[in-house]
Amino acid sequence: MEGLPPIDFRGELNAEQFAAVTSRPGPALVLAGAGSGKTRTLTYRVAWLLHQGARPWDILLLTFTNKSAKEMLERVEDLTGVPRGQFWGGTFHSIGQRILRRNAAAAGRQPDFTILDQKESEQLFSEVVKETDGAFIKDKTNPKAAVILDAYSHARNTLRPLEEVLTERLDWMKGGPDKLLAFCARYEARKAEGNLCDFDDLLALWLKVLETDPAALAHYRQRFQHILVDEFQDTNRLQSRIIDLLGDRHQIMAVGDDAQCIYTWRGADWENIMAFPQRHPGTEFHHIDTNYRSTPEILAFANEILRHRPKVDGFDRRLLAVRPAGPAPTVFTVGDTSQQAKLVGRKILQLHNEGHAFGDIHVLYRAHYQSLELQMELTNLGIPFVITSGHKFFDLIHVKDVLAHLRFVHNPRDQVALSRLLCLLPKVGPVAANRITQAAQEVEAAQGRGLVRALRDPAVLRKVPETAKDDFNDLTITLEDMLEGLEAARAKPAPTNPAPDLFTAATEASSVKVARTPAETTRVCIEGWYGTHLKTLFPDWRDREQDLTGLLGFAAKFEDLGDLVAQVALLNGESSDKKAEPEEDMLRLTTIHQSKGLEFPIVFLLGVADGLLPLTRAIDDGDVEEERRLFYVACTRAENMLFLFAPRFAVSGEGYRPLDPCRFLEEMSPDCYELADYAHRRL
């Protein structure tokens, strides 16, 4: 392309980047390690192609986020002066919709089709279920639209048989998948009738166009002389199939890092990057391992993680350091997760007093519930923090639902809590909830049975909408069970010689443990009506169950339900009005998944123990390699300092649960980190 400003590619790139940027047009797999300048490599590759005569519209650049697409195209425009609008660059879904509008007939749509967002898709699916089988939606044990739609989406993105996925993911549902298959078929028909596309259609119908319209396939194969794919390890089978069809001449450069494939739970297929050389013969490997982010000590630790993963030819790598030396990563062994929170809080204050900004410190964890005790400790210490991966723990919807159960059985006059519970029922809104509450209050006044038991009266049930009666009955049974357990616990005499603390109780089998009534009450709630409600309502119910397990551990710290409810209110009151302003110095808390692609001066990693990282569920399922990759991703976020915390016990509803040492740490050389043993110290 003529008129481009000169670029000193060799001078502006390191040797690894230069080799990848200037490689031949054939298939290339660029394995770019953490912090190695992947975006820079892709940007200069586009500029190089333009300098070699390619036209902007000959290049297809596929990314996973609008932010990364915008950033790359802006950099290309700055480098070359070519307006970003001349490129075919963007997310898979944005490119898919452009192609569908040009080939709408082959996709079974009109060019002016409407794209549904997630809520609109769920609403349409709900309408389909009601139209197809009205009784299905009334059965409280059946999955709601969002859960079915999530399984359908997974099947489409992984190109797996729908019946197989429905059977696998909804194995708890009674009956076979026949009705669900009918719902999905009708959902497809309704979208076609209304000229609608959901988010998955932007890829699924794109593939349909390529597979069923030879002219369209030939056109785009000719159009895209160069295909560049970012974060290739995160592609699913549907995306990989599209790329393979377009790249019939293997004119593909895939850029990614197999060690950072951490999204298989949402359809990403690790095999896509591993099998790329087999699908595209003659693939050139390019390793970009020079890391500009982290100190040599942090990289030595990360390399130890890589060293113990399964070996695959061509994929062995070792991150190379260019920065000056810094402190070695420190592994703190602690007695339990409560001590972990205290030590993290103390260490953060120490760093802040030494001149480090709170905003330079990020705390990472495998699952949201693992940050609960730290959130409490930070609030007590007055350390400002923000959770960048979502809401604070006690603001999570499912946690607030369970807390509403606890609040109501503790104080039956808490109409706010009761209204929240009633509004969880189908067809019950604030007005209906108020009618039910008034009826229960009248029964209570007449019979003196207490409001919890008054809810079970037939006079109250008559105020409940017909479609909600079964759920209401189960809810009130759960509430009564919680109340009876609470009353029994109150009547039970206190032990004469309780253990001084739970750590001692867990290690001394002969000691008398204090009854943790709030934990028992919470468990009745979770295992009762709400547990079923959770499973049918939320596609990610397994993750939410983990959060509620964390709530059990929190409840185990209290001997009185009133103290538990009051403490939650105080914690929320002290922190709910805090918001992260750009100029405000605040500590950041986030999950490892949400931290991917980011970098932080100082990283604290919580819960480095089997059962927490890797998660128990992953161990049971035999899927620890993705957990290893998560461990690697977490550690490679750190620029200057890395602190890891390895608790020996976790608090659960039954008391203290022993944790095995993290298998990833156990296999690593102790020379790559410093060990600080706090397990037997009191903080």
Side-chain angles (χ1 to χ4, degrees), residues 22-83:
T22 61
S23 64
R24 62 181 178 82
L29 183 57
V30 181
L31 298 175
S36 63
K38 171 179 61 66
T39 301
R40 184 178 185 83
T41 301
L42 272 171
T43 301
Y44 275 80
R45 174 63 173 179
V46 175
W48 171 264
L49 292 174
L50 294 175
H51 274 265
Q52 301 309 301
R55 299 170 300 179
W57 46 88
D58 292 337
I59 302 170
L60 175 62
L61 175 60
L62 293 167
T63 67
F64 274 85
T65 67
N66 289 315
K67 179 182 177 182
S68 60
K70 182 174 181 288
E71 179 183 353
M72 285 188 202
L73 292 175
E74 284 178 348
R75 290 191 187 183
V76 170
E77 184 173 342
D78 291 341
L79 265 178
T80 65
V82 178

Side-chain angles (χ1 to χ4, degrees), residues 293-294 298 323 359-364 388 588-592 594-604 633-642:
R293 174 186 299 162
S294 306
I298 292 173
R323 291 189 53 200
D360 287 341
I361 306 171
H362 282 64
V363 181
L364 307 182
T388 60
R588 263 64 176 174
L589 278 65
T590 191
T591 62
I592 300 173
Q594 291 294 324
S595 74
K596 186 173 178 290
L598 304 176
E599 55 190 34
F600 319 117
I602 304 171
V603 167
F604 285 65
V633 166
C635 295
T636 53
R637 301 310 95 195
E639 297 174 345
N640 305 325
M641 299 183 195
L642 174 62

